[in-house]
Amino acid sequence: MAVDVIMPRVDMTMERGTIRAWKAQPGDAVREGALLFEIETDKSAMEIDAPASGTLGRILVPAGVEVPVGTLVARILAAGEAAEAGSPPPPIAPAPSQAAPSDLPPALAAPAPRVAPPPAGDAPRPRATPLARRLAREHGLDLASLRGTGPRGRIGRADVEAARAATSTAPAGAAASAAPPMAFHSSIRADLGALLELRARIAAARPGSAPPGPTTLLLRLLAALLPGHPALLGATGGSVDVAVALAHEEGTRLAVLAGLQGRRAEWIAAELARLAAPGAAGAAPPPPRHALVLANVGRIGIEGHAAAPRRGEAPVLAFGAIDRDRRATFTLAADREALDPAEAMRFLSRLRDFAAAPWLAL
Amino acid sequence: MPDTTLPATRELSYAEAIREALAQAMEADPRVFTLGEDIGVYGGAFGVTGDLVHRFGEERVIDTPISELGIAGAAVGAAITGMRPVLEFQFSDFVTLAMEQIVNQAAKIRFMFGGKASVPMVVRMPAGSGTGAAAQHSQSLEAWFAHVPGLKVVQPSTPHDAKGLLLAAIDDPNPVLIFEHKLLYKTKGHVPAEPYRVPIGTAVTRRAGSTATVVATSIMVHRALEAAEALAPEGIDAEVIDLRSLRPIDTAAIEASARRTGRLLVVHEGVRTLGIGAEIAAHVAGSEAFDFLDAPIMRLGGRDAPLPYNPVLEKAAVPQVPDIVAALRSLAAGG
């Protein structure tokens, strides 16, 4: 592991320093604590020792060049390490007000760009709310193509939703930018009052233990419902294997609950907890095939989400936020090659009936 | 004690609820005492302490000279040596005289002594405008103190919270400042008879709604609720959060609501410039809730002027119900 050598701060007021002389050359063996280079500040001169033992790599700041405190001036390489090993050192910017000396090495020649410059000559960034930006990003919509109806033409959530509604009813060609050509989605509103009532009764019957969450209850319904939809189980050979999309800081990962048919809610809840635990991802690779991906997007307040599964990927069932009337939107998105839209609609319709009357799952 | 013969929950005024909390704390703990100007036989400038001097004696309900710095210094000293003082400033404006003891001593002593000493004192202060008391007796200075690490600052808006927050403040091992609104002293509400605590640092949702979130403090909670009811027929369904505590601040409650509604209005009586609304707006803009905002965050607060004596101007200087209604309409239309 290479060790960075930086321009040190040798007194409280020091802002910049100049290397007066290097006492070792690239390729020389250096020893921790031995003199490596001399510096000059506006007040004093100092000898600086090597911070580690090894081989001196490329010298990034030659003698005679003034640089700010903290600037990487060289690297000390460990045994067996090549000069180019590791990530290349970041380019060093001389203070912008000072003209760079003409003999600067290439690493010093260009200031490090901290912020990407605005694209010259481009149209101004569309005026849009943070929520509208996020929704447009999630649905693959280009903000520049949307019309804002808010103050000063600002694009809000309503404008993004209007554009989405327009693209999903437009002829196939018009929606081409939003989703792969063969993907479709269907939505249904379901009354979850009875399901939530059931949950409350479970909670009352077992004080002290957490009642099953909405994801668990929905998986329990799917365990009863999916065997009646063999078209959805083709990929798993009839087994009710459902992947749950688990949100993580790094993104989303899928956890597969295999063999759901006949499972009780307690088993599902325990399995979910096990799979969601940190570190569970690496423990065992999930079975590659699953009938359905369940995404509880309502957990973060999303009302509906039309996923865009690629060719060969399983259909995605998005479970939207439960509103104050205890209703939620389910959106099934699938590749038309994998699932007949009519079958998707039959499935959603039965899901709604099961959710409204969960005893049917018995 | 007559309280025990009353039903479990009665209607009490805000002032009566505070008096009941003081009485229950003094009954339960001999270390608790209260001190301030005219709080004994006179019963307090706003009648909060009432008959407490007759029930607990002059040793525990102490009338002091007119000397805010002295009162605060006595309370800090008593607290360090194991007592539980509750001091009252006649008007919160007079706290300016006691800044050294509160900001430099009470807030810092625990840290200066490495935790070996603490200052379990409570400062009660009548605050706010609306009584025609002019610029030197009408201010809302709570944000000053919320800016000081080491202090806790609360603003009860109901009789229930006035009692529960005061009891929680007396329990607290560190200094707590309570800003009571003068216009609320006579308002009534249900108050349980037994002692209870409202946890410091927790906001409460007073009205659930889906169009916009209003975070309000003190009397502004009532004005926000009135505005929300006035707007409901227009389809503007505001959620009203009573902040209750300025430090520590319940950012989780604010973020969760802002994520749900996508629109945020903060309303307080203290001067808007550099006020608590700025802190809340900046916090939300920098939080994960940012991605859920569908309009710019709005703030309503006191004007950049000393509170006028003229009653018309006095009202115009701080947010009133029509101001909140107008702000919510604008917010619902995109801000």
Side-chain angles (χ1 to χ4, degrees):
Chain A
M1 188 72 194
V3 173
D4 291 347
V5 181
I6 60 165
M7 172 61 70
R9 188 191 294 277
V10 295
D11 70 60
M12 290 291 284
T13 59
M14 175 177 168
E15 300 291 339
R16 309 175 65 82
T18 304
I19 294 182
R20 192 159 68 179
W22 281 97
K23 296 297 178 188
Q25 294 307 310
D28 288 357
V30 295
R31 194 163 46 77
E32 182 178 347
L35 176 63
L36 184 60
F37 58 98
E38 293 171 358
I39 62 167
E40 248 173 32
T41 70
D42 50 1
K43 288 187 183 154
S44 60
M46 286 280 291
E47 294 185 334
I48 306 299
D49 298 339
S53 299
T55 306
L56 186 63
R58 194 150 65 99
I59 287 177
L60 299 166
V61 176
V65 176
E66 188 187 55
V67 290
V69 165
T71 301
L72 184 67
V73 299
R75 283 187 146 167
I76 294 171
L77 308 172
E81 211 168 17
E84 282 74 28
S87 54
I92 303 157
S97 58
Q98 296 186 334
S102 59
D103 60 346
L104 276 184
L108 290 178
R114 284 170 184 274
V115 179
D122 265 13
R125 200 163 169 250
R127 195 185 287 274
T129 66
L131 179 59
R133 286 183 190 285
R134 186 170 59 79
L135 292 175
R137 197 163 57 234
E138 284 172 4
H139 297 302
L141 292 170
D142 179 10
L143 276 178
S145 69
L146 301 185
R147 199 172 68 84
T149 57
R152 298 181 293 281
R154 186 193 302 135
I155 301 164
R157 180 180 68 178
D159 299 319
V160 178
E161 284 175 351
R164 278 197 63 216
T167 51
S168 58
T169 53
S177 68
M182 295 302 284
F184 70 92
H185 63 264
S186 297
S187 296
I188 202 161
R189 295 276 286 164
D191 183 349
L192 302 186
L195 200 61
L196 295 174
E197 171 64 22
L198 185 67
R199 180 169 187 258
R201 288 191 187 190
I202 294 173
R206 294 186 199 140
S209 65
T215 306
T216 299
L217 290 173
L218 187 62
L219 285 166
R220 178 66 188 83
L221 292 185
L222 290 174
L225 182 61
L226 280 170
H229 292 267
L232 273 157
L233 299 178
T236 60
S239 176
V240 181
D241 302 347
V242 175
V244 178
L246 298 168
H248 283 261
E249 279 177 14
E250 303 78 15
T252 305
R253 78 175 158 85
L254 295 182
V256 178
L257 287 91
L260 272 183
Q261 58 272 32
R263 293 295 191 180
R264 288 164 53 92
E266 291 98 312
W267 182 89
I268 294 170
E271 189 68 1
L272 259 185
R274 186 181 69 77
L275 292 169
R289 310 296 289 175
H290 42 266
L292 199 65
V293 175
L294 174 63
N296 184 352
V297 296
R299 184 194 289 265
I300 55 164
I302 303 296
E303 288 167 6
H305 175 60
R310 293 192 191 86
R311 177 70 38 87
E313 287 185 344
V316 178
L317 179 66
F319 177 11
I322 302 170
D323 67 15
R324 287 204 291 164
D325 299 330
R326 315 188 117 199
R327 289 167 180 277
T329 299
F330 290 98
T331 306
L332 186 67
D335 179 358
R336 193 182 284 185
E337 295 276 291
L339 186 64
D340 176 1
E343 172 59 21
M345 292 180 209
R346 271 195 297 277
F347 166 75
L348 280 176
S349 160
R350 283 193 71 216
L351 175 62
R352 176 197 53 195
D353 296 344
F354 267 58
W359 44 89
L360 294 178
L362 295 173
Chain B
M1 290 294 108
D3 289 345
T4 53
T5 64
L6 288 168
T9 292
R10 311 96 343 124
E11 289 253 314
L12 288 188
S13 75
Y14 189 90
E16 288 166 341
I18 296 166
R19 188 186 314 144
E20 182 168 275
L22 279 171
Q24 289 177 342
M26 286 200 280
E27 278 160 15
D29 185 345
R31 298 173 301 168
V32 178
F33 70 102
T34 181
L35 70 170
E37 294 159 13
D38 294 332
I39 67 164
V41 284
Y42 186 67
F46 293 92
V48 172
T49 43
D51 62 348
L52 288 180
V53 70
H54 302 302
R55 293 163 65 185
F56 295 95
E58 293 180 350
E59 294 274 294
R60 300 184 70 191
V61 182
I62 302 172
D63 261 328
T64 65
I66 300 177
S67 172
E68 281 75 13
L69 182 58
I71 302 168
V76 170
I80 293 172
T81 52
M83 300 296 283
R84 297 264 166 175
V86 180
L87 75 83
E88 176 184 304
F89 288 133
Q90 204 160 57
F91 286 81
S92 67
D93 311 70
F94 304 162
V95 73
T96 53
L97 289 153
M99 289 306 263
E100 153 65 18
Q101 283 299 323
I102 293 172
V103 175
N104 267 343
Q105 304 304 331
K108 308 293 193 294
I109 280 170
R110 183 190 185 103
F111 303 91
M112 295 301 289
F113 289 88
K116 288 184 176 167
S118 71
V119 185
M121 84 183 221
V122 178
V123 184
R124 291 186 35 248
M125 288 173 276
S129 67
T131 62
Q136 296 157 318
H137 295 75
S138 302
Q139 297 169 84
S140 298
L141 300 177
E142 51 280 349
W144 287 17
F145 299 92
H147 188 69
V148 178
L151 297 178
K152 291 174 182 166
V153 180
V154 300
Q155 283 186 291
S157 71
T158 64
H160 175 276
D161 285 359
K163 177 175 174 180
L165 282 170
L166 177 51
L167 286 173
I170 292 171
D171 284 351
D172 201 285
N174 295 301
V176 181
L177 278 60
I178 306 178
F179 286 84
E180 300 160 359
H181 202 288
K182 297 179 204 101
L183 293 183
L184 291 176
Y185 279 132
K186 290 198 167 68
T187 59
K188 294 210 161 199
H190 290 285
V191 178
E194 76 280 5
Y196 59 92
R197 274 78 181 160
V198 169
I200 293 171
T202 60
V204 64
T205 303
R206 298 285 184 203
R207 182 186 196 279
S210 56
T211 312
T213 299
V214 185
V215 175
T217 61
S218 191
I219 197 164
M220 294 303 158
V221 173
H222 301 275
R223 293 185 188 159
L225 287 169
E226 208 179 318
E229 291 312 319
L231 286 168
E234 296 178 25
I236 297 174
D237 182 24
E239 179 147 307
V240 178
I241 293 180
D242 179 353
L243 193 59
R244 296 202 291 201
S245 183
L246 299 194
R247 180 186 273 270
I249 193 163
D250 191 349
T251 51
I254 299 168
E255 274 181 51
S257 179
R259 280 174 81 126
R260 211 147 22 72
T261 65
R263 294 181 161 86
L264 177 62
L265 167 68
V266 189
V267 191
H268 54 67
E269 180 164 338
V271 170
R272 194 183 84 147
T273 305
L274 295 161
I276 188 74
E279 172 62 29
I280 291 171
H283 176 87
V284 170
S287 77
E288 285 185 23
F290 175 78
D291 273 336
F292 296 79
L293 290 179
D294 205 25
I297 300 170
M298 290 184 75
R299 291 179 293 146
L300 287 177
R303 306 255 186 162
D304 274 324
L307 267 305
Y309 173 65
N310 175 307
V312 177
L313 295 179
E314 184 187 21
K315 272 195 143 184
V318 300
Q320 304 292 340
V321 175
D323 301 318
I324 303 172
V325 166
L328 277 171
R329 278 203 189 109
S330 161
L331 196 55

